[in-house]
Amino acid sequence: MSAQPLLPESGRRVFVALGDSFTEGVGDRDERLPNGVRGWADRVAEKLAKAQSGWKYANLAIRSKRLRHIIDEQLEPALRMKPTLVTLYAGGNDILDLKTDMTALMGSYEQLVAQLAGTGATVVLFTGFDVKVSALLEPLKKRNAFYNQQVRAIAAKYGAVLVDYWCLDAFHDRRMWDSDRLHMSKAGHKYLAGQVLDQLGVPHKITLKDWEPPTRLTLREWEQRQRRWIHDWVLPLFGRKLRGVTLGDELTARWPKPVKVPRKGGLKKLVAENPARVAEG
């Protein structure tokens, strides 16, 4: 890792977030914001602006995107913004497809990271978490482990900041996850924002939520939750796969152009004061 400061002490300050639902903010609902979500990246942008005035922020992430979509649709717009800070999480949707060639996937991932690092920006990468969704997904564990091994090596090779999501024990609590069991809850997004800020050396007051120990479910409660999960999430997911559609098909990027983040009131204030600008994107 370079001995240079991770973030600019003066001059241009542009944060661009790339990826899929993880970075879009799915699970952290807020109808006042674009696409009805907030997410960890918005929270990071707000803390950056509070610590240093003048930060601009763009978030190009859209749910359901594969790595190839992120490269084709998000890379060039990001490079045109001349970012000084870039975050990237990509490949999670590819891992879920058993037809994906993992070696080829990570080769493309490295090429993407190389282009981002070549801009001189601080690049932040993430490993993937071993989400305990269902025993049916246990075969994916080896693929996820391979992905994480490669991400760690690529981060070291290109001097990127690594947020080792795999190692964050707080996410073993089911309350850190949304009802679909694949996306973080509001508490999860908030905690992850704190982890990113820690890696960047940005001051904040985000702490792990002080919960009572989770209650143990009865067999009846567990069965009810399983039925609800299958009805609300699993069956619709398979239905979309059969139709060849995704939840992101009709969506656009939440913050497609860099917006100056208010130091007080954050992005909600920006939306409230400039609704037409936000809608035009």
Side-chain angles (χ1 to χ4, degrees):
M1 182 66 67
S2 170
Q4 296 298 315
L6 291 176
L7 297 176
E9 296 179 354
S10 62
R12 186 176 179 81
R13 294 175 177 143
V14 181
F15 167 29
V16 180
L18 307 179
D20 52 28
S21 57
F22 174 85
T23 301
E24 185 189 350
V26 173
D28 185 7
R29 298 173 184 81
D30 193 323
E31 294 302 324
R32 294 167 292 182
L33 292 170
N35 292 1
V37 295
R38 187 179 182 188
W40 64 265
D42 278 23
R43 296 171 185 275
V44 167
E46 290 166 351
K47 295 301 184 184
L48 287 170
K50 189 172 182 180
Q52 298 175 313
S53 62
W55 273 98
K56 293 185 177 181
Y57 166 57
N59 189 327
L60 306 182
I62 298 176
R63 64 197 72 178
S64 306
K65 295 299 183 182
R66 304 288 188 95
L67 176 62
R68 65 180 181 274
H69 301 134
I70 293 166
I71 294 171
D72 293 344
E73 301 167 12
Q74 299 178 24
L75 175 59
E76 284 303 323
L79 294 178
R80 287 197 297 270
M81 296 175 196
K82 298 180 181 179
T84 50
L85 171 65
V86 180
T87 61
L88 171 69
Y89 178 78
N93 291 311
D94 299 87
I95 293 173
L96 294 174
D97 185 348
L98 294 177
K99 295 181 293 185
T100 297
D101 181 328
M102 291 298 297
T103 300
L105 177 74
M106 297 315 296
S108 297
Y109 178 96
E110 180 173 355
Q111 291 176 19
L112 174 56
V113 173
Q115 291 184 74
L116 295 173
T119 66
T122 295
V123 178
V124 179
L125 305 179
F126 301 81
T127 55
F129 195 76
D130 183 22
V131 183
K132 301 296 184 183
V133 176
S134 168
L136 296 175
L137 296 183
E138 280 301 299
L140 297 176
K141 190 168 185 176
K142 288 184 178 180
R143 296 161 67 83
N144 203 16
F146 176 78
Y147 173 88
N148 289 343
Q149 179 185 41
Q150 295 298 306
V151 169
R152 293 184 184 109
I154 291 167
K157 180 176 179 179
Y158 293 94
V161 175
L162 178 67
V163 178
D164 208 341
Y165 190 29
W166 175 273
C167 298
L168 299 180
D169 290 339
F171 285 96
H172 289 293
D173 191 311
R174 65 174 180 265
R175 291 167 291 190
M176 298 288 273
W177 299 94
D178 196 20
S179 54
D180 66 359
R181 306 182 187 178
L182 284 173
H183 296 101
M184 292 178 289
S185 64
K186 177 179 179 179
H189 277 280
K190 188 174 182 179
Y191 180 72
L192 185 67
Q195 297 300 302
V196 174
L197 293 164
D198 284 346
Q199 291 297 320
L200 294 174
V202 177
H204 66 89
K205 295 182 180 179
I206 297 173
T207 58
L208 187 62
K209 196 171 180 64
D210 186 17
W211 280 311
E212 293 294 325
T215 57
R216 188 176 181 84
L217 297 177
T218 66
L219 179 59
R220 182 182 180 84
E221 289 172 331
W222 181 85
E223 289 176 339
Q224 289 176 337
R225 290 196 180 194
Q226 286 295 100
R227 285 197 297 269
R228 189 182 311 122
W229 174 63
I230 291 171
H231 178 270
D232 292 348
W233 299 106
V234 178
L235 294 179
L237 174 62
F238 278 104
R240 290 192 297 273
K241 283 187 174 295
L242 290 173
R243 298 193 306 275
V245 299
T246 75
L247 292 174
D249 290 346
E250 304 299 322
L251 295 178
T252 56
R254 300 181 57 242
W255 305 102
K257 296 179 181 178
V259 294
K260 187 172 181 180
V261 184
R263 296 188 69 178
K264 293 184 179 180
L267 293 161
K268 293 177 186 177
K269 179 181 179 182
L270 179 68
V271 173
E273 294 180 348
N274 304 277
R277 178 183 175 187
V278 172
E280 290 170 1

